[in-house]
Amino acid sequence: MTRTVLILGGTGEARALAAALDPLPGVRVVSSLAGRVRDPRLPVGEVREGGFGGADGLARWLREHAVDAVVDATHPFAARMTASAVEAAAATGTPLLVLRRPGWREGPGDDWRWAGSAEEAAALLPGLGERIFLTTGRTTLAAYAGLDALWFLVRAVDPPQPPLPRRSLVVLDRGPYTVAGELALMREHRIEVLVTKDSGGEMTSAKLAAARELGLPAVVVRRPPAPEGVPLAATVAEALEWLAAHAG
């Protein structure tokens, strides 16, 4: 009997989970990508791209494909997709696991300011410095567009759409990054403040180490809370254990 597992993906953890499940006999693994990145890293196995049409569309897909379990391994800030997964899983009675890598923790030598949103992060910047390294992705840049007295180095995977900060330079790049590379970039552009989201993981954490070494403050946007009442795994190994118990 084939068991079908839907992975809501787009993260390194989602790709690692698909790679672990794909060779298993009797398991059909389908990875779903939202399609927001122009040239995404594709996981092994079956892949579908594009949205489902909200919770109702996802529920319909789960029924049509007789899905036995769903793993939400989307980005920690993909709150809308997670909410749809919770609603669709409840409507169809499909077991759901949220796979989230742990967030970053402030350590000795760090100078972090926590913000609850991009707007709060933008409000903290005046007075901290004039040259900002903005690494929060391309979807929240409008929050910083009115800060005309500041200069921004904006890093994104795909070209961002306006509105952008008026005084800005856009760099298109994709991790993983190294501390040496981040140090060189920050020194080249005379960065005074780092702005990032609490994505967690090692792929993009080098910028925080570089800011620490340079003695720069960092503004860190808090991630949305995990959904209540839904099992949570911090690692791919934990997700595999959960799947063994809930999807055979």
Side-chain angles (χ1 to χ4, degrees), residues 75-163:
H75 192 276
F77 282 80
R80 184 177 300 176
M81 186 67 246
T82 296
S84 292
V86 171
E87 185 176 339
T92 58
T94 308
L96 170 67
L97 174 74
V98 174
L99 172 56
R100 288 285 184 276
R101 55 183 176 259
W104 291 316
R105 293 182 178 274
E106 191 172 3
D110 286 325
D111 181 12
W112 293 5
R113 275 80 165 171
W114 288 94
S117 65
E119 290 73 19
E120 287 187 18
L124 291 173
L125 293 179
L128 284 180
E130 295 183 357
R131 299 182 66 84
I132 316 299
F133 186 17
L134 187 55
T135 68
T136 56
R138 61 190 173 93
T139 61
T140 58
L141 297 182
Y144 306 90
L147 299 175
D148 292 344
L150 308 181
W151 181 89
F152 291 85
L153 176 64
V154 178
R155 184 164 68 193
V157 175
D158 291 327
Q161 299 298 315

Side-chain angles (χ1 to χ4, degrees), residues 3-226:
R3 313 293 282 179
T4 299
V5 177
L6 174 65
I7 300 174
L8 304 176
T11 61
E13 291 79 10
R15 292 189 293 274
L17 181 60
L21 292 173
D22 187 65
L24 299 180
V27 176
R28 177 197 177 203
V29 56
V30 182
S31 296
S32 177
L33 305 181
R36 293 184 177 178
V37 177
R38 180 178 300 175
D39 185 23
R41 292 192 177 107
L42 296 178
V44 300
E46 189 175 342
V47 178
R48 70 171 301 279
E49 293 193 57
F52 291 94
D56 290 342
L58 177 55
R60 184 165 52 251
W61 200 94
L62 296 179
R63 293 189 184 100
E64 290 174 353
H65 293 265
V67 173
D68 295 285
V70 179
V71 178
D72 172 19
T74 55
H75 192 276
F77 282 80
R80 184 177 300 176
M81 186 67 246
T82 296
S84 292
V86 171
E87 185 176 339
T92 58
T94 308
L96 170 67
L97 174 74
V98 174
L99 172 56
R100 288 285 184 276
R101 55 183 176 259
W104 291 316
R105 293 182 178 274
E106 191 172 3
D110 286 325
D111 181 12
W112 293 5
R113 275 80 165 171
W114 288 94
S117 65
E119 290 73 19
E120 287 187 18
L124 291 173
L125 293 179
L128 284 180
E130 295 183 357
R131 299 182 66 84
I132 316 299
F133 186 17
L134 187 55
T135 68
T136 56
R138 61 190 173 93
T139 61
T140 58
L141 297 182
Y144 306 90
L147 299 175
D148 292 344
L150 308 181
W151 181 89
F152 291 85
L153 176 64
V154 178
R155 184 164 68 193
V157 175
D158 291 327
Q161 299 298 315
L164 278 71
R166 184 176 62 84
R167 301 173 61 214
S168 61
L169 171 66
V170 176
V171 175
L172 301 182
D173 201 0
R174 188 200 310 251
Y177 304 103
T178 66
V179 176
E182 300 289 61
L183 283 169
L185 186 66
M186 291 185 189
R187 285 172 173 148
E188 176 187 356
H189 295 283
R190 307 190 310 280
I191 296 301
E192 298 172 352
V193 185
L194 168 68
V195 182
T196 186
K197 297 188 298 188
D198 181 20
S199 300
E202 298 181 357
M203 182 174 290
T204 60
S205 64
K207 59 193 169 188
L208 291 165
R212 182 190 312 123
E213 184 167 333
L214 295 172
L216 303 182
V219 176
V220 184
V221 180
R222 296 185 189 275
R223 60 173 60 181

